[in-house]
Amino acid sequence: MSDIVKEPSMLLQKEMIARNYEAITSKHETGRKVSSTFVPGNLNELLLCFDIVNNLPEINAIQNGMRKLSGNYIMDAEKSGHSEDVCTYVKADIGMMGAGNIAPNGKPFPKPDVLLLSYTGCYTFMKWFELLREEYKCPTLMLHVPYEGDGHSTKNMRDYIVKQLKEVIIPGLEQVSGIKFDIDRLREALRNSAKAEDNLVWVLESGKNKPSPIDAYFGGVYYIGPIFTAFRGTPDAIAYYDALRTEVQARIDTRQGPITPDGSNFNDQRYRLVVEGPPNWTHFREFWKMFSDEGAVVVASSYTKVGGMYDLGFRHNADNPLETLADYCLGCYTNRNLPTRVDILAKYIEEYEADGLLINSIKSCNSFSAGQLMMMNEVERRTGKPGAFIETDLVDPRYFSAANVKNRLESYFQMIEQKRLGSAKAA
């Protein structure tokens, strides 16, 4: 099967991610310290203050899924005692460690100097880091982020996080790196973040155009790469999102859709969808092509908000550096309760003039999958638009049934057509 044809910004993103892997795996030559941390609530601006390179285990699992390596890693982890129900990101990571811990650039991952866990709505992250701490025997710093169970954060929640930053996280990073914390350096990184965030939001909201110049799910996972990983807070992120915005604006000007996996512009957009849940990575091209072949474009998605809800107005604020880090962690998508997630999805249906909500329920991801059927029913009730449910997994190829997914998608598109006919007759 041929590779996905990529937009210029996707190629630039790929180069940036490769550069970060080179920085991680050359640790022993450069002397830089390496942290392991997670995407939701990651404190990249703070790590930059200490010259610490950011390694993200979820991204490593995704890379292995797309490179068709995760299946064997997962089975190796299960043979060593990990349950079939455990998050497959975790098992792919554990299996990779047992197989030599080789990075995508072919070089071995070094042991991290610190595990930094900013816990935002996913209990699995905490258990994952317990396994990594047992393996690497390195310092572990945990930032506990209160869950927004009532649908909003409070001053006490924010103050609690800031207190941990001051008393635990910053002193811990100073000790690991040997570098004294400089709040002005943090402010500079936060200003860089806000500039990049402005352009990311502009790009994601361009899905309101008809035709949409982006696919906010399959293309969106490339667009969020730099800002959700090791580049938020850097001039490189500003440059990337400037280039991405220029690229998308050119498509708007010429009324062009995004590039499909086959390399053609996707202009015949028959269905506009909002998608909830992460994609399947082991069959990413095939999954994407099932949508584009049917004329379905994703105009908004929840997964592209897992590392920050910038489209709801949040920006990193250099005037309140520690408080803004707390607000960022509190506001991540997986730290919001189910009624709030329903509000967000219903808002997307209306604002992006979508035909309906499609949920990709992930077998091994309780953080996303819990409550999704209720969410779909409630969004249908509020918007009057049909919803549908498909099931895959993150990086376990055993749980991607192409025939089953294709059949469900075709049935869903027929449901949308019937809904349109009914609306036309009523008018």
Side-chain angles (χ1 to χ4, degrees):
M1 184 178 288
S2 61
D3 291 337
I4 293 173
V5 177
K6 296 183 175 68
E7 300 162 2
S9 61
M10 294 179 181
L11 297 173
L12 177 57
Q13 181 259 17
K14 185 177 180 181
E15 181 274 325
M16 292 170 73
I17 300 298
R19 193 171 359 124
N20 190 59
Y21 277 122
E22 194 60 35
I24 294 166
T25 55
S26 61
K27 163 192 164 179
H28 297 302
E29 290 76 26
T30 64
R32 292 185 69 181
K33 304 296 184 181
V34 172
S35 75
S36 282
T37 192
F38 292 112
V39 170
N42 83 74
L43 302 173
N44 200 61
E45 296 89 353
L46 197 57
L47 292 172
L48 291 172
C49 297
F50 301 98
D51 293 332
I52 295 175
V53 184
N54 196 351
N55 186 20
L56 298 108
E58 305 124 291
I59 305 302
N60 301 337
I62 289 169
Q63 292 282 334
N64 286 325
M66 298 185 83
R67 293 161 62 219
K68 310 296 185 186
L69 298 174
S70 59
N72 287 334
Y73 290 159
I74 289 166
M75 287 191 286
D76 288 345
E78 289 175 353
K79 288 174 185 175
S80 69
H82 292 276
S83 166
E84 287 187 9
D85 295 324
V86 170
C87 170
T88 52
Y89 280 167
V90 177
K91 290 185 291 188
D93 192 39
I94 299 299
M96 180 181 71
M97 287 192 294
N101 219 12
I102 303 302
N105 61 3
K107 301 176 183 179
F109 278 115
K111 290 185 177 181
D113 298 284
V114 62
L115 302 176
L116 175 58
L117 174 58
S118 43
Y119 172 54
T120 53
C122 180
Y123 181 72
T124 299
F125 283 175
M126 192 160 60
K127 306 308 291 184
W128 192 348
F129 260 35
E130 288 179 4
L131 294 171
L132 295 182
R133 181 176 60 186
E134 184 178 318
E135 174 71 21
Y136 293 126
K137 309 291 192 297
C138 66
T140 304
L141 302 174
M142 177 173 173
L143 180 68
H144 179 246
V145 177
Y147 182 62
E148 290 191 354
D150 294 327
H152 59 85
S153 61
T154 65
K155 183 179 183 299
N156 284 344
M157 290 178 179
R158 182 197 230 199
D159 291 345
Y160 173 59
I161 296 173
V162 170
K163 185 173 188 289
Q164 294 175 80
L165 289 170
K166 289 179 177 178
E167 297 179 1
V168 178
I169 305 301
I170 290 173
L173 294 176
E174 286 180 328
Q175 185 172 359
V176 166
S177 66
I179 296 172
K180 187 71 176 172
F181 174 60
D182 181 352
I183 200 163
D184 290 328
R185 192 172 176 185
L186 176 59
R187 287 193 176 100
E188 179 184 0
L190 293 169
R191 281 190 286 269
N192 289 341
S193 293
K195 291 176 184 176
E197 288 156 7
D198 280 342
N199 278 337
L200 171 63
V201 170
W202 183 93
V203 167
L204 294 178
E205 291 187 341
S206 72
K208 295 176 182 178
N209 287 273
K210 294 182 179 180
S212 172
I214 66 168
D215 186 295
Y217 190 54
F218 297 103
V221 299
Y222 289 93
Y223 303 155
I224 62 176
I227 210 164
F228 282 9
T229 58
F231 292 93
R232 198 182 66 239
T234 68
D236 283 340
I238 296 174
Y240 171 81
Y241 288 101
D242 280 343
L244 176 60
R245 179 167 179 165
T246 299
E247 178 183 297
V248 173
Q249 182 64 60
R251 291 204 291 272
I252 293 173
D253 292 343
T254 55
R255 295 186 56 79
Q256 295 288 309
I259 293 177
T260 68
D262 295 326
S264 59
N265 281 94
F266 184 16
N267 300 327
D268 182 19
Q269 299 177 5
R270 298 190 290 279
Y271 310 106
R272 294 169 60 85
L273 305 180
V274 172
V275 173
E276 153 74 5
N280 169 269
W281 299 106
T282 58
H283 297 76
F284 187 77
R285 183 187 189 280
E286 184 179 3
F287 193 33
W288 184 357
K289 201 167 183 304
M290 288 180 187
F291 286 72
S292 62
D293 284 353
E294 294 289 340
V297 63
V298 181
V299 292
S301 68
S302 61
Y303 183 71
T304 52
K305 315 304 186 315
V306 72
M309 293 294 305
Y310 304 112
D311 62 327
L312 297 188
F314 173 79
R315 297 291 184 279
H316 281 90
N317 182 358
D319 293 335
N320 299 289
L322 298 185
E323 292 80 3
T324 202
L325 293 178
D327 291 341
Y328 165 69
C329 292
L330 284 164
C332 287
Y333 184 78
T334 50
N335 203 50
R336 294 172 182 258
N337 68 5
L338 297 188
T340 303
R341 297 188 201 187
V342 169
D343 290 342
I344 292 168
L345 294 169
K347 176 174 178 280
Y348 288 161
I349 295 284
E350 300 292 349
E351 292 189 356
Y352 289 77
E353 298 183 48
D355 294 302
L357 172 68
L358 177 70
I359 291 179
N360 183 36
S361 185
I362 298 297
K363 177 188 178 294
S364 69
C365 183
N366 291 330
S367 179
F368 260 100
S369 299
Q372 281 182 329
L373 188 58
M374 177 278 293
M375 291 166 63
M376 184 185 77
N377 291 337
E378 181 61 18
V379 171
E380 282 185 312
R381 186 189 68 79
R382 287 196 200 178
T383 65
K385 299 295 178 67
F389 210 80
I390 59 174
E391 296 173 281
T392 66
D393 192 66
L394 296 164
V395 291
D396 191 337
R398 294 172 298 182
Y399 296 104
F400 184 86
S401 170
N404 187 37
V405 172
K406 186 175 175 62
N407 286 340
R408 290 196 184 189
L409 286 175
E410 289 174 350
S411 297
Y412 180 46
F413 298 141
Q414 290 172 11
M415 189 190 311
I416 292 174
E417 293 288 1
Q418 290 169 359
K419 187 78 172 178
R420 288 173 176 170
L421 286 173
S423 298
K425 289 177 181 178

